[in-house]
């Protein structure tokens, strides 16, 4: 793969206009992984935004925590490294925002179901026990399936 990359960069290098040369030659510029990795990471942001259409009970709390944490950690890191990578900062800011937004949606969905004195993570992880009617329907479905096999 690096052979292909070197050939493409070698082909494009003399053809880059003078006005775009500073962007091309930048340490986090167009011919480096430091540009392309954050650019492809926007796919996570798009997927997270697409999840806004999903019902809150179908969202993954672990995935949302993971997005929020990685977005926060890497956004900070992108401003500490040299050269500062603003593309990486911006994409991770949005990844974290999507993660925190999904966590908020999960929390709002489960808050009325959870005990009143539950902490945030207890609410996020809360799985309500089925009521008697749901329990009977589940038992009947399981019995019917075992008898049918």
């Amino acid at each position: 793969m690096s052979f292909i990359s070197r050939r493409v960069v070698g082909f494009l290098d003399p053809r880059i206009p003078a006005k775009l040369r500073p962007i091309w030659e930048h340490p986090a510029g167009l011919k480096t992984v430091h540009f392309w990795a954050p650019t492809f990471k926007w796919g996570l942001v798009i997927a997270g935004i697409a999840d806004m259409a999903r019902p809150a009970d179908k969202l993954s709390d672990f995935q949302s925590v993971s997005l929020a944490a990685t977005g926060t950690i890497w956004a900070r890191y992108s401003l500490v490294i040299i050269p500062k990578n603003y593309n990486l900062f911006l994409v991770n800011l949005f990844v974290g925002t999507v993660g925190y937004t999904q966590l908020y949606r999960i929390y709002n969905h489960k808050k009325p179901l959870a005990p009143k004195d539950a902490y945030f993570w207890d609410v996020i992880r809360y799985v309500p026990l089925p009521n008697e009617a749901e329990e009977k329907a589940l038992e009947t479905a399981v019995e019917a399936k075992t008898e049918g096999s």
Side-chain angles (χ1 to χ4, degrees):
M1 189 62 158
S2 63
F3 170 76
I4 295 170
S5 174
R6 282 192 301 264
R7 297 289 293 201
V8 169
V9 169
F11 175 78
L12 292 175
D13 216 16
R15 291 166 177 79
I16 300 296
K19 285 184 178 181
L20 297 179
R21 182 75 41 198
I23 295 171
W24 181 255
E25 296 294 337
H26 191 272
L30 295 173
K31 63 180 181 178
T32 68
V33 70
H34 305 296
F35 172 80
W36 291 106
T39 301
F40 282 106
K41 196 171 184 178
W42 281 102
L44 286 176
V45 175
I46 293 166
I49 291 171
D51 278 350
M52 298 290 179
R54 294 176 73 191
D57 62 328
K58 301 290 185 208
L59 296 173
S60 167
D61 47 352
F62 287 116
Q63 177 181 332
S64 299
V65 167
S66 174
L67 287 174
T70 56
T72 302
I73 292 165
W74 287 102
R76 171 70 179 120
Y77 172 76
S78 67
L79 296 177
V80 174
I81 60 174
I82 297 172
K84 290 181 180 7
N85 193 333
Y86 294 108
N87 187 15
L88 184 64
F89 171 72
L90 198 58
V91 73
N92 282 303
L93 185 69
F94 276 87
V95 166
T97 301
V98 165
Y100 286 118
T101 303
Q102 299 296 33
L103 278 175
Y104 180 74
R105 289 183 61 218
I106 294 168
Y107 178 79
N108 275 345
H109 172 72
K110 292 185 176 182
K111 182 63 176 167
L113 307 171
K116 298 277 185 231
D117 58 344
Y119 292 108
F120 176 79
W121 187 246
D122 295 331
V123 172
I124 297 291
R125 293 298 305 151
Y126 183 71
V127 179
L129 297 173
N131 61 31
E132 285 183 39
E134 289 174 341
E135 204 169 304
K136 278 195 183 274
L138 184 61
E139 286 173 9
T140 307
V142 169
E143 287 172 9
K145 186 175 183 178
T146 54
E147 289 173 6
S149 356

